Amino acid sequence: MKRLRILVLMHPDFVPPDSSDGYSAQEINAWKTEYDVVSTLRAAGHEVRPLGVQEEIKPVRDAIEDFKPHVVFTLLEEFHYEVVYDQHIASYLELMKIPYTGCNPRGLILARGKDLSKTLVHHRRIPVPAFAVFPMRRKVKRPPRLELPLIVKSLSSDGSLGISQASIVDTDEKLAERVAFIHERIGTAAIAEQFIEGRELYVGVLGNNRLRVLPVWELKFGSMGGHSARHIATEKVKHDPSYQERIGIEDGPAGNLTPELSAHIQRLAKRIYRTLGLDGYARIDFRLSTNGVPYFIEANPNPEIAKSQEFATAALHDGLDYAGLLHRIVTLGMSRAKAGVSLG
């Protein structure tokens, strides 16, 4: 790949230092993705400019006019303190006719709402857990069709925000309590879905038109809680390195799947990706029930791509090293712009 000017958008708190020397694992964890992307692209010979963006669009416009990037690599997961506003950055870059990495605005919107994405996927006859949405400031009443136990989450937040063992409820009283917790602490509507006892599987997908589906990956819960705790991706499981190490949380290739089941899950991931209008790269999350049914849980466009995270490790397992992965993501963003096709 020729030498490119790459503008990397990120949260201001996560603009990384030039070196990770002298920082604790907890400190590095906050900006590991930003550090890995910036340092790897620089090592590949590109001119890379990190830019912290939070409340104003003007710094983005100024950087585009001054730096004249060939492509914008966006690592933003929120804008103006709202996770649902990340699609506006993609829309703005499209209006500016600047190539950018990751998913188009329409795909971001469809995937962000866990209810909408499940409804669309269900219409394609892909198994999804039964669910109900509980809007803010409404009385919590469980529909009779929705059987306990349930898992209660924010309708729109990602990164396991607000998810703990208390998220799994087995009474109507606990359901009301947890919905209230989501409303008050997270500040969004809540979704309660049928809890699927089983395994946590992830499938990475890369591409705009022709898709590359990565191997089925599994989040393995180690010694988490013995027999008393449910194996779910809580905030601690996702984001606490010391907890991960202590309990033995790790991810890797999903073992004990027949080749037929593995291929079936990969086909489902590809169908879901297309159904939701995704492009660039995304991670599709499943729960594999104890009787072998893969249930679609959610789609994560522009997922974490730190070198140590499951998307990058699955790509490496599939023969695509980290620098190659980042270059593929950049190429997809540039080729979409070159084709003049916008899904947003």
Side-chain angles (χ1 to χ4, degrees):
M1 179 177 280
K2 70 172 186 175
R3 189 169 187 263
L4 300 173
R5 289 185 302 277
I6 304 176
L7 179 66
V8 186
L9 302 184
M10 60 192 67
H11 191 286
D13 291 350
F14 304 149
V15 175
D18 290 334
S19 169
S20 60
D21 293 348
Y23 291 92
S24 69
Q26 194 72 43
E27 288 170 322
I28 293 171
N29 191 58
W31 38 257
K32 64 182 179 185
T33 302
E34 291 77 7
Y35 178 81
D36 288 350
V37 169
V38 170
S39 60
T40 302
L41 290 173
R42 279 180 175 157
H46 302 296
E47 187 178 352
V48 181
R49 180 181 292 188
L51 179 66
V53 179
Q54 176 55 277
E55 294 184 56
E56 295 184 1
I57 205 79
K58 188 176 183 297
V60 179
R61 186 182 187 104
D62 290 346
I64 288 170
E65 291 179 351
D66 173 55
F67 186 52
K68 294 182 173 52
H70 293 100
V71 63
V72 173
F73 202 120
T74 177
L75 295 175
L76 286 173
E77 294 187 350
E78 63 173 47
F79 183 67
H80 219 285
Y81 310 100
E82 292 283 351
V83 292
V84 294
Y85 286 177
D86 61 350
Q87 69 253 17
H88 298 321
I89 297 296
S91 297
Y92 178 75
L93 294 170
E94 287 197 343
L95 290 172
M96 296 284 286
K97 300 194 182 314
I98 300 294
Y100 63 93
T101 63
C103 189
N104 68 84
R106 173 172 164 266
L108 289 170
I109 292 166
L110 294 182
R112 178 70 69 193
K114 297 182 177 75
D115 54 342
L116 180 56
S117 62
K118 284 185 174 65
T119 300
L120 291 169
V121 166
H122 177 65
H123 279 297
R124 294 296 174 96
R125 298 183 179 175
I126 295 170
V128 301
F131 68 89
V133 173
F134 298 96
M136 303 275 282
R137 294 174 290 279
R138 296 264 189 90
K139 187 175 180 183
V140 176
K141 184 169 171 53
R142 177 173 60 91
R145 62 176 173 77
L146 200 58
E147 296 180 7
L148 297 162
L150 301 169
I151 181 165
V152 183
K153 311 172 184 177
S154 162
L155 183 61
S156 55
S157 292
D158 55 16
S160 293
L161 187 64
I163 297 181
S164 68
Q165 288 294 321
S167 301
I168 299 177
V169 299
D170 51 16
T171 67
D172 286 327
E173 291 74 25
K174 287 181 180 175
L175 171 63
E177 286 174 13
R178 198 64 193 177
V179 168
F181 171 87
I182 296 294
H183 289 173
E184 292 162 15
R185 294 291 184 88
I186 312 299
T188 69
I191 183 171
E193 62 190 45
Q194 171 195 358
F195 176 64
I196 307 297
E197 194 76 61
R199 298 165 66 182
E200 185 95 0
L201 302 181
Y202 304 136
V203 183
V205 184
L206 269 167
N208 297 339
N209 299 311
R210 293 178 60 192
L211 304 183
R212 177 172 180 167
V213 184
L214 300 180
V216 181
W217 224 239
E218 181 171 8
L219 181 62
K220 299 167 186 178
F221 293 93
S223 61
M224 181 178 172
H227 295 295
S228 60
R230 309 282 191 139
H231 286 180
I232 58 172
T234 63
E235 278 192 82
K236 284 176 75 71
V237 166
K238 282 279 193 180
H239 303 298
D240 187 335
S242 59
Y243 178 78
Q244 293 163 354
E245 188 174 340
R246 189 170 72 252
I247 304 300
I249 304 290
E250 59 183 20
D251 60 76
N256 302 318
L257 296 182
T258 65
E260 294 77 15
L261 180 55
S262 185
H264 173 60
I265 293 169
Q266 287 178 304
R267 283 195 301 273
L268 290 182
K270 190 184 287 190
R271 281 172 60 197
I272 291 163
Y273 192 91
R274 294 199 192 281
T275 296
L276 299 178
L278 305 179
D279 61 1
Y281 61 106
R283 194 191 73 226
I284 313 298
D285 297 359
F286 297 90
R287 290 286 287 192
L288 183 64
S289 70
T290 50
N291 59 350
V293 176
Y295 285 85
F296 167 67
I297 300 301
E298 64 184 38
N300 293 277
N302 307 350
E304 275 257 19
I305 49 165
K307 198 180 293 188
S308 61
Q309 292 294 118
E310 59 270 356
F311 197 97
T313 54
L316 183 62
H317 189 75
D318 201 43
L320 187 60
D321 68 14
Y322 192 64
L325 172 62
L326 297 188
H327 281 137
R328 183 71 189 130
I329 288 169
V330 165
T331 301
L332 287 166
M334 295 182 73
S335 63
R336 174 182 52 203
K338 194 173 182 181
V341 175
S342 169
L343 296 174

